[in-house]
Amino acid sequence: MFKQVVAALIVTLIGVSLLPVRQADSPTLANPAFEEIWSARSASTSGFDLWGSEPLAWRIESYADAPGGRRIVQYFDRGRMELGLPDSGREEPQVYQGLLALELTTGRIHLGDSLTASRTPPSIPIDSGSPDDRVPTYAALSNVVQERAPSRLGRDLPVAWIDSTGQPAPGSPVVPLRGAEYIEQTGHNLPDVTVSFFARRPFGTMGWIEAMGLPISEPYWTIYRRDGTPLPSLIQVFERRILVYTPALPAEQRFTTANTGRHYYRWRYETDPPRRWPDPRPGRDAPDIRVPDGFAAGVYASDLGTPVGLALGPAGNIWAVTAEGRVLRIDSEREDGSADRVTVIAEDLPNPRGIAITGTTIYVPVDGGVVRIDDNDLNGVADRMSYVTRNLDPAPGSRGAPVIDGQGRVFVAGTLVPGGDQRVVARLNGDGEVLISGSGVSNPGPLITARQQLLVVDRPAEGEQGLYRMPTNGTRSASQDPLAAVLSRRVVKFPGDVTVHAVLRFDNVLWPQIDPDTLFAAISSGESGSVVRTIPGDVGAPPDLVEFATGLSQPVALAVGLDGSLFVADAGRGEIIKIVVPAPEE
């Protein structure tokens, strides 16, 4: 077995993820903070069911402003719990509730505090029944949300009925309604029946704004099927949920909420909530790819061209760049876990080296510079594409792949232009200015960021090939570092007879077999390639490197999915390989 001594303690640069998760089969809850709220709901004496009969599924989702860009969420029939950052002075993480009704009716998926992705609101009937012209869908309600209305405080509310067309029409009220409260923040009226309901504190210790959010529509009459029976009902869209009032039912049953949690999951993930998550599947059979016991490898994609770069996008899906010059976003997977629907974001890029993404911006180093692609609403259409700089010629192949640190700074290895003979690790400013982060390097690249550190694979003159720490503060000029100083920053020593194409810090906590401190590296020698990883060494000794996946040809890029899947771009095979820990059998 391949084995090589590591030159420095990795634990000094990488720590365990902050995400406190555990493997869970539905209907258990993913976090004790969720369980506490769920238990309080079960003990409530109000009789109002805010969540539904049982938890549906938990996931790790992308969220730009969460630690590591991810957060745990728990889906229920009627909502979603989110584990957020602690408030100032708090020691425990805080649970928030998702703005699901807002996202469903506006088509804006929140991927950060100010980052959203556009999608068409779904044509799902809000009462969960089959399509019915009398019943509005979320797409229909998109016509009436976030439209301010004048205050009707103390006056009769206008009577309006709404159906699947989304066009309000006059009619007769089922019961008369008066405006009892006007919400200035969003410009909408609450009818007297709703205000009276909220006054009874139906959500226990939770206030109505915490449970429902602010109203984003006026109240409308419609047909809503309660247990399959179509009944005239009053609906009003709030940020988190849709409140439903059916006067014909007994008093204790008149109010309910729509199944926004289930509907949202189906809309965002194009499937009903699974019995459990994660449930990764490796894709098509790849019997020649060998991985350790407890893992499975398969072909994720083989018809995209020659993959040379991978990245995890802001919505948690895999992006790829190919040697043919295409930037691709993989939007869905088949039942076996292989790639299905793919969106082409850009084409005809000259000799891409790799890809990195931050927010709505994609960076691709190419011949003669670094290209920036902006997809401002994340709808899969490039709004702008231009060279962010032509003053840096990226290193050839995967050595020139970009990385982005936690502050959004972009780093690329290459040579300065003009001149062309000074090899550097450069940091790019937003205006295209190139700042040298590391000089004194011999053949830099590939790069990796871990925690707040930048690392580069290099083979210094008269030195050994390894992974070295580099400074990240850009300077106009940098003196040549003496060899001893470079070696003192070495983290991993690689054999001299292999080419290191990519290094990845495995920062996902869903593989119990792999410590979150682990580094993976894609290497090749001749026509064969493999993925190796670090493991702890003996007590007092540095970690070791051991083979993890063999049978590859030219693995040039690595990425980790939100479910813990490890993706390997193999340019020699023309495939993206997917390595997973299969879920246990029922």
Side-chain angles (χ1 to χ4, degrees), residues 406-485:
Q407 301 177 46
R409 300 180 297 182
V410 182
F411 298 90
V412 180
T415 55
L416 297 180
V417 178
D421 57 354
Q422 184 182 8
R423 294 175 177 177
V424 299
V425 176
R427 174 164 63 90
L428 308 182
N429 278 357
D431 58 4
E433 185 179 25
V434 177
L435 302 176
I436 301 172
S437 283
S439 64
V441 290
S442 298
N443 200 26
L447 309 177
I448 175 179
T449 58
R451 296 301 180 185
Q452 299 302 316
Q453 299 187 57
L454 173 69
L455 301 101
V456 57
V457 175
D458 193 23
R459 188 197 301 264
E462 302 179 3
E464 295 177 300
Q465 179 175 226
L467 182 66
Y468 297 89
R469 294 187 181 92
M470 301 293 293
T472 57
N473 293 323
T475 57
R476 287 293 186 176
S477 62
S479 61
Q480 297 289 314
D481 289 337
L483 179 60

Side-chain angles (χ1 to χ4, degrees), residues 36-98:
E36 183 178 349
I37 293 177
W38 177 255
S39 299
R41 162 261 188 201
S42 301
S44 173
T45 59
S46 69
F48 186 82
D49 189 354
L50 189 64
W51 298 102
S53 59
E54 66 177 18
L56 296 181
W58 68 270
R59 296 184 69 101
I60 294 176
E61 292 183 342
S62 292
Y63 197 79
D65 299 284
R70 296 167 297 175
R71 65 181 179 185
I72 309 173
V73 299
Q74 181 89 45
Y75 282 91
F76 301 82
D77 265 320
R78 299 178 180 179
R80 181 180 72 193
M81 296 183 192
E82 306 163 352
L83 197 66
L85 282 168
D87 289 337
S88 177
R90 291 174 58 98
E91 295 182 357
E92 298 296 328
Q94 186 169 354
V95 176
Y96 299 92
Q97 298 187 48

Side-chain angles (χ1 to χ4, degrees), residues 369-389:
V370 179
V371 170
R372 170 177 171 161
I373 304 168
D374 292 298
D375 181 6
N376 295 329
D377 51 7
L378 297 176
N379 64 351
V381 177
D383 299 295
R384 181 173 177 266
M385 185 165 64
S386 61
Y387 278 86
V388 67
T389 184

Side-chain angles (χ1 to χ4, degrees), residues 443-526:
N443 200 26
L447 309 177
I448 175 179
T449 58
R451 296 301 180 185
Q452 299 302 316
Q453 299 187 57
L454 173 69
L455 301 101
V456 57
V457 175
D458 193 23
R459 188 197 301 264
E462 302 179 3
E464 295 177 300
Q465 179 175 226
L467 182 66
Y468 297 89
R469 294 187 181 92
M470 301 293 293
T472 57
N473 293 323
T475 57
R476 287 293 186 176
S477 62
S479 61
Q480 297 289 314
D481 289 337
L483 179 60
V486 174
L487 290 177
S488 70
R489 297 197 304 270
R490 190 174 66 201
V491 175
V492 177
K493 178 183 174 183
F494 290 107
D497 60 348
V498 303
T499 299
V500 182
H501 298 283
V503 182
L504 171 78
R505 172 182 171 252
F506 189 82
D507 59 354
N508 196 294
V509 297
L510 298 179
W511 283 9
Q513 303 93 327
I514 301 293
D515 191 276
D517 291 349
T518 298
L519 294 181
F520 286 89
I523 64 174
S524 67
S525 179

Side-chain angles (χ1 to χ4, degrees), residues 149-158 177-184 187-193 195-196 218-219:
S151 172
R152 300 283 181 177
L153 189 61
R155 293 181 286 168
D156 290 339
L157 291 178
L177 300 174
R178 292 180 65 82
E181 187 171 349
Y182 183 72
I183 308 302
E184 184 63 41
H188 289 292
N189 295 277
L190 297 183
D192 47 4
V193 291
V195 172
S196 296
E218 289 294 282

Side-chain angles (χ1 to χ4, degrees), residues 3 41 66 98 103 150 200 220 228 277 288 333 366 386 482 489:
K3 191 170 184 179
R41 162 261 188 201
E103 295 185 27
R200 299 198 297 269
Y220 293 95
W277 189 94
D288 51 336
E333 295 183 353
V366 297
S386 61
R489 297 197 304 270

